[in-house]
Amino acid sequence: MARLRWRPFPCPDYDLEGTESWLQAMAAKGWLLRESFAGLAGFTQGAPDAVRYRLNATRGSVLDGDWAAPDGEEKALSAAAGWHYVCARGKFFIYACDDAAAPELHTDPAVQALQLERLRRDAWASVGSGLFFAAIYPLLWLPGKIWRIFAALPQYLSGLVLVSAIGLTVALCRAFYLWGLSRRLRGGQAPVRGARQRRRGRRLQGLQAMETMVLLLFVAALFARRGVPTAQPLPEYTDPLPFATLADLAGGGTVEWEPEDRYIHNTVTVSHTLTAPAVYELEQHAAVRQEGQPVLSGGLYVDYYETRWEWLAKGVARDLRADWLQGEHAERLLLPGIDETWLTPGPYRQLLLRRGCRVMSVTFFTAGEQGPTMDDALPVFVERFLAG
Amino acid sequence: MPKKALESLTESMFYVLMAFSVAECCGAEAAQFAAARTGGALRLGPATLYTILAKFLEVGYLTETSVDGRKRTYAITAAGRDAYAAELRRLRRIVADAEAAAALPYAAKPLPEGGGAHGAAALAPVPLP
């Protein structure tokens, strides 16, 4: 057999008219389709010929792919009518016929529409599941987290969001194309083949290629662990923090950690995302000593966001109130220079501050009677927040 | 369990069902029957033919009776006969209406609402054969 020349299909597999038009144009130039694999068409060079190519939807399950083949009866009936099976692509079998007198593969457009029924249903199911994960799932399962995820989404995950958005667009294109085609077929119109269909096919394929490219970049970033924030031990962290820590609350002193807590419960995670130039997550369990005497022993949790836009900071503050302050009767305080201040009652008092694009939520507690209370610590938190 | 019956039959579907209403046969024989009955006017493309066969099997109008290599033989079921008879009644009604309309004198003016003198009131229902 002559050597195969591989070329990418310029249309998605479901674009029946675009694919048929392209294959016929290739045959007219002497390139005859022999095989299909992973979005590539394998051609052999021959004499230019008027070959008709037709795509026929498979009857197999949605899991059937390029490896599926038509059954014996289908092949025999097609061969008897002058059509030979060439290869499978996606959910279609590709047939060819070089006999101008042979009947069309499909002579009844309404029956062809019937054959596309399952593909149409699958296409809408993809749109439905895409919409579910893009819109309904977040609404049901992520209340109090959406804005925070949007702000703190690591850059490699932003790629995944982009892939999902393009994927949903591709699914919508597929569903609308098959819906439109079926509607025309049911109206008695045969599929249209020509240069216009080839151009439309290229646009659809471009969108799918973009989806694949972004997905590959995402996987590469995932393996390279680029943009993945990692927790650093607080004792080894030397950069300034834009908020108060236990030492600040004690008014200075030496911070001491239990040996087992040194690298586990004393960490800071710093990340920079597309929507938030700085996101800090701090966990501190320690004692503070002044002149050898313990002055504070307790714990501190801080979530700090510096977002690009104030509307996002407001959303993050709303999320933090809905999630962190859940079930608590938070009290709103009016403090000069701060846009929002919320404080909860109870032994583990929580504080939320927002100023412009910056939001901070704090949980602070002390062990026993040692150290300041949240009321004592509030001015320190506010002062450092304003200075940060 | 058969799926929901088809809402209507196209001409191709009707001829395929007609072929099986006469005798058990394979797909190619059904296509030959349709071409012969229509004097070659209805040539069933292979994809059209096996889509129809698959659909009829799915909705329970046909049942597979034997497989001999690549050749499969099918027989019409009671549901298939009912669907065929219902379509036949519908087509007879259309033909009867058309023949009754053809028997009326031609009026140059458009028909008024309700069909006027040539409408439903003027046309007695045509008894079906």
Side-chain angles (χ1 to χ4, degrees):
Chain A
M1 189 176 167
R3 191 170 147 248
L4 284 177
R5 296 281 181 85
W6 293 92
R7 288 190 62 171
F9 277 98
C11 332
D13 57 356
Y14 62 85
D15 183 8
L16 185 142
E17 292 163 307
T19 309
E20 291 176 355
S21 306
W22 180 65
L23 291 174
Q24 285 180 194
M26 290 297 284
K29 292 178 197 163
W31 292 102
L32 301 172
L33 180 73
R34 300 294 178 202
E35 280 181 35
S36 158
F37 177 73
L40 296 172
F43 293 96
T44 52
Q45 175 93 66
D49 201 357
V51 182
R52 280 181 287 166
Y53 284 95
R54 297 292 178 261
L55 267 63
N56 194 33
T58 64
R59 282 182 270 166
S61 79
V62 291
L63 298 174
D64 286 347
D66 287 356
W67 57 88
D71 64 22
E73 185 190 32
E74 184 174 325
K75 275 187 183 169
L77 284 172
S78 303
W83 289 84
H84 68 272
Y85 168 71
V86 183
C87 57
R89 185 189 178 211
K91 292 168 189 166
F92 288 95
F93 296 137
I94 303 176
Y95 286 86
C97 175
D98 54 8
D99 176 5
E104 269 294 329
L105 196 69
H106 276 284
T107 48
D108 188 340
V111 173
Q112 191 175 4
L114 207 63
Q115 193 194 45
L116 293 172
E117 211 172 50
R118 191 176 45 204
L119 289 183
R120 217 171 49 242
R121 272 203 310 267
D122 288 350
W124 283 112
S126 301
V127 171
S129 57
L131 280 175
F132 176 79
F133 284 107
I136 300 168
Y137 175 77
L139 286 176
L140 287 177
W141 299 105
L142 300 173
K145 293 187 182 73
I146 293 172
W147 294 113
R148 282 161 60 198
I149 289 173
F150 186 56
L153 199 65
Q155 283 168 20
Y156 76 97
L157 273 182
S158 308
L160 190 61
V161 171
L162 192 60
V163 169
S164 308
I166 301 173
L168 187 58
T169 312
V170 167
L172 275 167
C173 287
R174 184 190 303 129
F176 275 111
Y177 171 74
L178 290 172
W179 172 74
L181 175 63
S182 298
R183 209 169 147 223
R184 279 187 281 133
L185 291 170
R186 278 197 300 269
Q189 296 176 46
V192 184
R193 299 162 195 102
R196 206 173 141 204
Q197 281 64 39
R198 291 205 298 274
R199 281 196 297 275
R200 193 214 37 237
R202 280 196 193 99
R203 282 198 298 275
L204 294 169
Q205 185 73 342
L207 200 64
Q208 279 201 345
M210 197 193 299
E211 184 189 14
T212 310
M213 209 163 66
V214 178
L215 186 65
L216 288 175
L217 284 173
F218 163 72
V219 174
L222 197 65
F223 275 101
R225 291 189 65 78
R226 278 185 67 87
V228 183
T230 49
Q232 302 173 56
L234 200 52
E236 290 163 17
Y237 188 80
T238 50
D239 289 344
L241 291 167
F243 45 81
T245 58
L246 289 180
D248 300 312
L249 300 180
T254 314
V255 182
E256 290 183 352
W257 295 271
E258 293 292 333
E260 64 270 25
D261 282 352
R262 188 175 172 89
Y263 295 108
I264 301 170
H265 296 301
N266 287 281
T267 56
V268 61
T269 308
V270 187
S271 55
H272 312 282
T273 71
L274 295 173
T275 51
V279 179
Y280 291 82
E281 199 178 321
L282 176 127
E283 186 181 3
Q284 188 175 25
H285 289 253
V288 183
R289 287 179 180 272
Q290 288 173 351
E291 294 169 0
Q293 296 300 312
V295 290
L296 188 156
S297 175
L300 177 68
Y301 294 89
V302 178
D303 276 342
Y304 177 94
Y305 298 82
E306 191 180 323
T307 63
R308 281 202 193 281
W309 310 280
E310 189 170 351
W311 58 263
L312 183 55
K314 284 180 182 173
V316 171
R318 247 197 323 273
D319 276 359
L320 288 167
R321 275 179 54 208
D323 191 21
W324 277 66
L325 312 186
Q326 204 172 28
E328 302 280 357
H329 301 289
E331 180 189 358
R332 182 161 195 176
L333 307 178
L334 293 173
L335 297 179
I338 305 280
D339 296 327
E340 283 182 66
T341 308
W342 296 87
L343 191 62
T344 63
Y348 296 97
R349 300 191 69 181
Q350 290 167 321
L351 171 69
L352 178 85
L353 299 173
R354 184 184 70 79
R355 183 177 191 235
C357 295
R358 295 189 301 128
V359 191
M360 179 175 83
S361 83
V362 175
T363 304
F364 168 59
F365 61 91
T366 51
E369 299 298 316
Q370 276 179 345
T373 62
M374 181 57 116
D375 291 329
D376 303 326
L378 181 62
V380 184
F381 281 125
V382 172
E383 188 190 335
R384 285 298 305 272
F385 183 67
L386 286 172
Chain B
M1 188 182 160
K3 292 195 171 180
K4 199 180 96 177
L6 294 162
E7 283 171 15
S8 62
L9 299 177
T10 65
E11 186 187 9
S12 311
M13 290 171 160
F14 184 67
Y15 271 99
V16 170
L17 213 46
M18 189 190 296
F20 286 105
S21 74
V22 174
E24 270 188 35
C25 57
C26 68
E29 288 163 346
Q32 284 161 10
F33 173 89
R37 292 301 302 175
T38 58
L42 182 68
R43 292 175 73 189
L44 291 170
T48 297
L49 180 61
Y50 49 71
T51 302
I52 291 174
L53 293 176
K55 197 71 195 172
F56 283 175
L57 280 172
E58 191 182 298
V59 298
Y61 290 176
L62 293 182
T63 180
E64 199 175 273
T65 51
S66 68
V67 181
D68 180 12
R70 289 181 163 189
K71 185 179 169 184
R72 290 182 189 174
T73 306
Y74 306 93
I76 195 165
T77 62
R81 284 195 187 283
D82 288 349
Y84 178 69
E87 185 65 13
L88 195 56
R89 277 197 300 276
R90 191 182 73 83
L91 293 172
R92 279 179 177 151
R93 160 72 66 196
I94 291 169
V95 172
D97 285 346
E99 282 174 352
L104 295 169
Y106 178 73
K109 286 180 187 174
L111 293 176
E113 205 174 321
H118 292 168
L123 282 174
V126 181
L128 288 173

